[in-house]
Each structure stands twice: as C-alpha cells, then as structure tokens.
Amino acid sequence: GMGTDGDHVAFYSQDMNQGMQERMRIETGLRAALGNGELLLHYQPKFCIENGKIIGAEALVRWRHPVRGLVPPADFIPLAEATGLVVQVGEWVLEAACAQARQWKDAGLPPIRLAVNVSAREFTASLPGRVQDTLERYGLEPTWLELEITESTLMHNIDRVIGIMDRITAIGVTLSLDDFGTGYSSLSYLKRFPIDTLKIDRSFTIGLPSDANDCAIANTIISIAQQLKHKVIAEGVETVEQLAFLKNSGCDEVQGYLFAKPLEAAAFEEALRANWAP
Ligand code: C2E
Ligand code: CA
Ligand code: CA
Ligand code: CA
C-alpha cells in the first residue's frame, strides 16, 4: 500500500542522499587536496625483459588524506572522471612527474621514461601545448615522458583524437595504449594510431601460463604489436612462470609486484641506482 511505497521511496532517497553526500565530500576534499599538497606520486619501475634494466616508471597518484590515510586512485579517480575534476588532477600529476624527473636528471640518474596516466577527459586540443610547455619549464628532453592512454580515449572522435596524438608524438613524447584488449578495440583504427607501446592488461597476465585463453590473448597482443612495429609491455607480472611465458613469447618489457610495487620517490631512486650500478 501507500505506506510501504512511501517507506520504500524514503529509504531509497535517503540512500541516494548518503551516496551524493559521500561523493560531494570526496569532491570537495579532492579539490582542496589539489592545492594543499595531499596528492603524491608513487613510481612503479618498468623493466627490459632481456637485460633486467629499469627503463622507466609509471607514475601512480595517491591521496594522503588527513583522516583516511593513503587513499588509492580507485577510490577517487572514477569520481574525478565523472565530475571533470580529473582534468585538474591530471595537470597536477604531469607537473609533479616532470618536477621529479628534473630532480632525477639533476642528480645524474640514468635517463628513464616516466609514464603518466591520462584519462579520456584530459585528451583535448590543449593537452599537446601543456605537455610541451611543462617539458620546457622543467628543461626536460621529451624522451623523459610517456603518456598512457586507454581505449576509452580512442572511442570518441577518431580523427580529432589522432590529430591530438600526432601533435604529442611530434614533440617527441611517446604514447602507450593501456589496458589493451579490455575495452572497445578496433583493429582497423589501431594501425592509424601513432603509438609506441601496447600494454597487456593485468587481467590477461594473471592467467599466464595456466589459462589457455589468457595465453592466446597475450600471444595475440604481442604478435599484433610486433606486426605493427610497436613495443609491448605486460603489467601485473607477479610470478616467475608469468615472466618466463612472456619472455618466451617475445614481450619487450615487464612491470609488476614480482619486481617492485609502486614505490615512493626515494625508494624508486634507490632501486634505480642499485639496478644500474656496475
Ligand atoms: P593502471 O593504469 O592499469 O595501473 C596499474 C595498477 O595495477 C596500479 O594500481 C598498480 O599499482 C597495480 N599493479 C601493478 N603491478 C601489479 C601487480 O603485480 N599485481 C597487482 N595486483 N597490481 C599491480 P593503482 O596505483 O591502484 O592504480 C589503479 C588505477 O588508477 C590505474 O590503473 C589507473 O587507471 C588509475 N590511475 C592511477 N594514477 C592515475 C593518474 O595519475 N591519472 C589517472 N587518470 N588515472 C590514474
Ligand atoms: Ca596505466
Ligand atoms: Ca590495467
Ligand atoms: Ca589503466
């Protein structure tokens, strides 16, 4: 009857209010975090599979919340994407990654490539100019920087997206296609994208070498990369068996807990020095 329906409505709207309040709390908090130094980057090394050298790192954002502690990106990036705040987060991340690269360059560390994740909403006509400006302000060669983009970025207006990609690669910054195979992939467009690297998603790495489907998918991605003259990296490598499979299949680079978790800047620097020490 009416009463039950009324209760129902009240229940749901209260529930929704709580959800909205939670979202608004995160949004307000994140907006403040951007300005008051609560965001930070961790760096997960990427290794050459052939010689075991660190050739780069992926910058991964975290939020050091005064009450909640270290908040993982999964708890705020999706909301930031929904609200558009991810654009400001992305600006902060690019700035922080380049500032760090400059410090490592000044410290005489081996030159590496720092990868920054770029969400679809950031992939606009103003991005190439901002990338170039940031590199110039920090006095960095473009080879210090890589942008990881996902298939969702490519779904939008293909010609517009390719135009932006071309402007980024013209600077000398490389692009890698993240989480490859998990989203909407159009192989006919793939050949038109000026990308350097395909990244095998952790959801495929996880089943290697026991799951025949994951093996087939990983081998196919490696083969496509080779045919298209792209490099290929596997993320989420946790076991020596996964590593052996990937090496045998011709994968170029690896990243994962088997080698290192995402590290604080100082710990990454130490790992880099140790890895390159003669
Ligand atoms: P992603 O780009 O696919 O990043 C890889 C995620 O897998 C990272 O989680 C990393 O810590 C985790 N990972 C790496 N190796 C292993 C492994 O061997 N085993 C397991 N279980 N996990 C591994 P994280 O740092 O929590 O980031 C999650 C996602 O948040 C990222 O997924 C990315 O989509 C997003 N993200 C992180 N930083 C940024 C950023 O600065 N901007 C944007 N737009 N998104 C970001
Ligand atoms: Ca990534
Ligand atoms: Ca992934
Ligand atoms: Ca991703």
Side-chain angles (χ1 to χ4, degrees):
M2 289 286 283
T4 313
D5 285 342
D7 288 349
H8 229 76
V9 169
F11 174 76
Y12 276 119
S13 58
Q14 195 189 7
D15 214 44
M16 225 160 68
N17 276 333
Q18 276 173 6
M20 274 167 61
Q21 278 172 16
E22 170 74 1
R23 282 174 54 121
M24 281 176 64
R25 228 192 353 259
I26 297 175
E27 196 188 339
T28 310
L30 186 55
R31 224 175 264 285
L34 276 161
N36 66 14
E38 283 173 23
L39 294 185
L40 71 155
L41 294 177
H42 280 181
Y43 300 89
Q44 187 177 36
K46 297 182 178 185
F47 295 82
C48 168
I49 209 166
E50 206 50 52
N51 65 14
K53 292 289 180 211
I54 295 176
I55 41 82
E58 179 174 5
L60 294 154
V61 70
R62 277 94 180 84
W63 177 5
R64 199 184 297 285
H65 191 280
V67 178
R68 298 178 185 211
L70 203 61
V71 183
D75 291 359
F76 63 93
I77 289 288
L79 178 79
E81 279 177 339
T83 59
L85 202 55
V86 77
V87 174
Q88 281 97 293
V89 172
E91 286 173 5
W92 183 90
V93 168
L94 180 66
E95 196 74 23
C98 288
Q100 184 60 74
R102 178 59 201 242
Q103 279 186 32
W104 285 333
K105 183 182 154 158
D106 286 345
L109 289 167
I112 51 159
R113 209 181 264 283
L114 273 190
V116 164
N117 289 283
V118 173
S119 84
R121 292 187 74 140
E122 298 175 65
F123 212 78
T124 62
S126 64
L127 182 63
R130 185 156 61 79
V131 166
Q132 178 152 31
D133 169 72
T134 311
L135 288 171
E136 281 170 6
R137 269 189 296 109
Y138 286 99
L140 287 172
E141 294 74 28
T143 49
W144 278 90
L145 188 64
E146 171 173 41
L147 303 182
E148 295 194 6
I149 58 178
T150 59
E151 284 164 294
S152 58
T153 305
L154 312 176
M155 286 177 56
H156 295 90
N157 178 332
I158 294 291
D159 291 315
R160 183 183 142 275
V161 164
I162 290 178
I164 298 170
M165 291 174 119
D166 284 337
R167 288 175 54 210
I168 290 169
T169 55
I171 299 167
V173 169
T174 50
L175 294 169
S176 76
L177 200 41
D178 204 358
D179 300 337
F180 185 69
T182 62
Y184 161 98
S185 355
S186 172
L187 295 180
S188 62
Y189 287 130
L190 187 60
K191 65 176 183 192
R192 292 181 55 199
F193 295 136
I195 50 176
D196 186 70
T197 304
L198 288 184
K199 196 162 192 181
I200 300 174
D201 189 62
R202 187 168 73 87
S203 62
F204 304 126
T205 306
I206 213 163
L208 306 178
S210 52
D211 184 293
N213 291 330
D214 285 346
C215 291
I217 291 166
N219 277 328
T220 301
I221 295 175
I222 291 166
S223 169
I224 289 172
Q226 287 170 345
Q227 307 280 324
L228 295 178
K229 309 269 192 291
H230 300 326
K231 281 187 296 171
V232 58
I233 182 168
E235 68 172 16
V237 179
E238 294 185 354
T239 70
V240 289
E241 290 80 12
Q242 291 167 348
L243 175 64
F245 179 92
L246 290 161
K247 192 166 185 180
N248 195 44
S249 297
C251 189
D252 301 301
E253 297 167 8
V254 277
Q255 181 184 355
Y257 292 176
L258 176 63
F259 311 96
K261 292 198 168 180
L263 304 168
E264 286 180 17
F268 175 79
E269 184 175 327
E270 202 175 310
L272 185 61
R273 283 186 198 281
N275 177 264
W276 279 88

